Amino acid sequence: MQYLWAFLVGGIICAIGQLLIDFTKLTPARILTLYVVVGVILSGVGIYQYLADFAGAGATVPLTGFGNSIAKGIREAVDEKGFLGIFTGGLTACSGGITAAMVFSLLAALVFKPKAKSV
């Protein structure tokens, strides 16, 4: 049943993004930023963790989950380091994912040769 909930919640999150692309003048970059900010806000209010516990990867893999990770890292760092944790917590919590994205991007750039698009 966990797989079904992950699929449905992740699908709803993606469908909302598609609706925003289709029916608003928001650019994809602004929608991605909006998703991260919404994840931070929902995490800050305490709602997102319930969604993540319910849907698992369906809620933690989309960009809203990235926002949740940032907020959770900041919260933990502030508890541990005080005011300085506001500046260090988000990067510390997400450094593994950011590093993985950079390494896999480098590997993809080394393996595949880009070609110019013909119009």
Side-chain angles (χ1 to χ4, degrees):
M1 197 64 180
Q2 182 72 26
Y3 293 123
L4 176 65
W5 289 121
F7 175 76
L8 290 175
V9 170
I12 289 169
I13 291 171
C14 292
I16 291 170
Q18 188 62 49
L19 290 172
L20 289 171
I21 290 172
D22 292 343
F23 296 113
T24 67
K25 293 184 178 185
L26 293 173
T27 63
R30 290 182 185 207
I31 294 170
L32 296 175
T33 304
L34 176 70
Y35 267 32
V36 173
V37 170
V38 166
V40 169
I41 291 170
L42 290 178
S43 180
V45 184
I47 296 172
Y48 203 85
Q49 191 58 46
Y50 293 113
L51 183 63
D53 292 341
F54 175 73
T60 57
V61 171
L63 281 172
T64 50
F66 182 69
N68 178 47
S69 296
I70 291 172
K72 190 186 313 182
I74 291 172
R75 189 172 31 250
E76 291 171 1
V78 166
D79 291 342
E80 183 180 313
K81 299 177 184 176
F83 183 75
L84 187 61
I86 294 172
F87 304 107
T88 61
L91 288 175
T92 303
C94 299
S95 61
I98 293 169
T99 302
M102 291 172 56
V103 168
F104 290 125
S105 298
L106 175 65
L107 291 175
L110 293 173
V111 171
F112 300 103
K113 300 294 179 206
K115 297 178 184 175
K117 274 189 175 180
S118 58
V119 180

